[in-house]
Amino acid sequence: MSTTVPRDRAQPLTELRAPPATGVARWSLAQFVLFSATLAILGAAIGWPGILREPASTVLRTIHGQALATSLGYWLYLLASVAFIGLALSLGRLLRPSSSDSAAIDLLTVLGVAAGVLKTLGIVRWLSVMPGLAASYNATDTPAAMQPMIELVYTSMNAYAGAVGELLGVQLFSGLWMVGIGSLLLRQGWKASGLLGIGSGLLLLVVSLRIFVDDLGALNAVAGPMGLAWYLVLAIAAWRHRVPSTAGRP
């Protein structure tokens, strides 16, 4: 005589079917590789992300002198933001069957996707507007009187797009999403992934307070590598759990 398991019963992550865990592993690994390359290329070329806190004149001269590397680095960063969206969706699929609160999973998924979209909106300015401003600022035929106007345009654009991309996307929304996902992973027994996710998210939330305390922006230098560590640990954990458990099955 066989018994039927109720459909609404939450399943532990070790009993989930393979595709969601495999998707999480792939998207998390893609995020790790793409963001590592972003940090390496932009860090070596223009001192990113610290350069973002420098005056407009310094940034415009620096990115103009490293135009190719800057473009390549930000294209990789754009792809990393797309991978972030894929990761958020995959984690939602992975966690939904194991959680009794599907509304919380849906909310976190929306938050993660929104963070990725906001990141892309912030990044696009470095592939469109900023190179043109840098070229005009450093052109030999640009009158000296025009440079302060270009600096003003840069500052205004950076203040708006930076708030959308960095403050909301990279820090606030991503931080809240990481804390929520990390808590759910920890509850499911994924200790390393859960704790590192919570820690990374909390650090991003602290960095978002830079609008009140400017010096907190320096913590970005720690938040980036810590986030990379989480992506890698999560990829390994998801890959190990990609094979569904057969315990208790005929």
Side-chain angles (χ1 to χ4, degrees):
M1 181 176 179
S2 62
T3 58
T4 302
V5 179
R7 288 181 176 273
D8 60 348
R9 181 181 174 184
Q11 301 172 324
L13 291 184
T14 52
E15 295 181 7
L16 295 179
R17 58 193 176 90
T22 302
V24 169
R26 289 173 177 171
W27 283 116
S28 193
L29 183 60
Q31 177 74 4
F32 173 80
V33 172
L34 290 168
F35 192 50
S36 293
T38 298
L39 281 174
I41 293 173
L42 291 180
I46 62 175
W48 188 86
I51 187 71
L52 301 178
R53 304 177 69 211
E54 296 294 330
S57 57
T58 301
V59 178
L60 291 169
R61 290 192 179 96
T62 302
I63 66 175
H64 180 70
Q66 297 289 338
L68 181 59
T70 301
S71 179
L72 175 60
Y74 272 105
W75 271 112
L76 289 170
Y77 195 19
L78 184 66
L79 292 176
S81 297
V82 174
F84 189 93
I85 296 173
L87 178 59
L89 293 171
S90 293
L91 277 167
R93 289 183 60 210
L94 176 70
L95 292 167
R96 186 174 289 105
S98 66
S99 175
S100 58
D101 192 352
S102 60
I105 301 296
D106 291 340
L107 177 60
L108 284 172
T109 301
V110 170
L111 195 61
V113 170
V117 171
L118 290 170
K119 286 181 184 183
T120 62
L121 293 176
I123 293 167
V124 166
R125 76 187 189 275
W126 294 101
L127 298 170
S128 56
V129 179
M130 297 308 188
L133 289 178
S136 297
Y137 188 84
N138 291 278
T140 55
D141 59 347
T142 298
M146 285 290 295
Q147 289 186 327
M149 296 179 64
I150 296 174
E151 291 177 11
L152 179 60
V153 173
Y154 166 87
T155 302
S156 301
M157 175 64 69
N158 214 35
Y160 173 73
V164 171
E166 280 81 48
L167 180 59
L168 294 181
V170 176
Q171 295 157 11
L172 186 59
F173 280 29
S174 293
L176 290 172
W177 177 77
M178 284 183 175
V179 170
I181 290 295
S183 300
L184 291 174
L185 290 173
L186 188 60
R187 199 177 303 169
Q188 291 294 330
W190 294 31
K191 293 183 180 179
S193 301
L195 289 173
L196 199 51
I198 293 172
S200 299
L202 289 175
L203 182 57
L204 287 175
L205 292 176
V206 171
V207 175
S208 71
L209 297 177
R210 62 185 172 80
I211 57 175
F212 305 109
V213 182
D214 186 63
D215 290 343
L216 291 176
L219 292 176
N220 265 325
V222 180
M226 192 170 179
L228 279 177
W230 181 61
Y231 297 133
L232 182 59
V233 169
L234 180 59
I236 294 172
W239 186 253
R240 290 177 58 191
H241 287 83
R242 74 191 187 282
V243 179
S245 172
T246 57
R249 295 181 185 178

